[in-house]
Amino acid sequence: GESVGLHLPTLSVQEGDNSIINCAYSNSASDYFIWYKQESGKGPQFIIDIRSNMDKRQGQRVTVLLNKTVKHLSLQIAATQPGDSAVYFCAEMGDYKLSFGAGTTVTVRA
Amino acid sequence: GAGVSQTPSNKVTEKGKYVELRCDPISGHTALYWYRQSLGQGPEFLIYFQGTGAADDSGLPNDRFFAVRPEGSVSTLKIQRTERGDSAVYLCATGTSNTGELFFGEGSRLTVL
């Protein structure tokens, strides 16, 4: 499943498929980006980060891609599992503080 | 505990009352942030502490909001003369140095009637 375009608020994905969550950022001077996952009733949880001198970074089942030319960030989740159901936020770090985007709600279908 | 602890988890108050929300950070974390999250929205920055001092309070919406961290550990967010529009989840996050890896508490849900 993929949230096509700059940002969609919801994404439904079949269990076992790959998920792609997109995010556009506004500040061209931003040099540090982070993805957070927020489950219902909990605080956001760090997933992965990337600095502007990189265009790709991989973690466990997750990959973050950064396209500075179009100010676009994406999070790819491989083999999506039911536990991946949550709201995903991209965030920019600037002046020692995080600025969060609107979030994408991912629902995993069994 | 090992994580960021926030109390109370839920607070219901009446318009015009004063409330305090507490954050116990992870031991050793010098950076502490307060965020506010409304339903369906991303967290919105309020204030950032580095140690005891408020390094950036530009996100506080008005002078009814104030936060302290007197000993560089526990922080309290104080809201005077609460309004219905203050209803939200108030999140505390802590971290070390200038990193985007912040550790969030579960938040204090404030409801102003």
Side-chain angles (χ1 to χ4, degrees), chain A residues 32 36 38 43 89 96-98, chain B residues 33 35 37 42 56 100 102 105:
Chain A
Y32 184 29
Y36 276 83
Q38 187 174 27
F89 294 98
Y96 302 97
K97 59 182 182 274
L98 290 175
Chain B
Y33 299 78
Y35 281 82
Q37 187 172 28
D56 185 344
L102 298 184

Side-chain angles (χ1 to χ4, degrees), chain A residues 32 34 36 38 41-46 49 51 87 89 92-103, chain B residues 33 35 37 40-45 48 50 56 58 91 97-107 109:
Chain A
Y32 184 29
I34 309 97
Y36 276 83
Q38 187 174 27
K42 296 188 176 181
Q45 179 183 11
F46 173 91
D49 58 2
R51 294 199 179 267
V87 181
F89 294 98
E92 306 167 56
M93 188 75 161
D95 294 329
Y96 302 97
K97 59 182 182 274
L98 290 175
S99 298
F100 287 83
Chain B
Y33 299 78
Y35 281 82
Q37 187 172 28
Q41 304 294 317
E44 173 193 7
F45 170 79
Y48 158 57
Q50 183 59 250
D56 185 344
S58 62
L91 294 164
S97 192
N98 184 18
T99 172
E101 185 173 3
L102 298 184
F103 296 83
F104 282 82
E106 295 197 342
R109 180 177 298 277

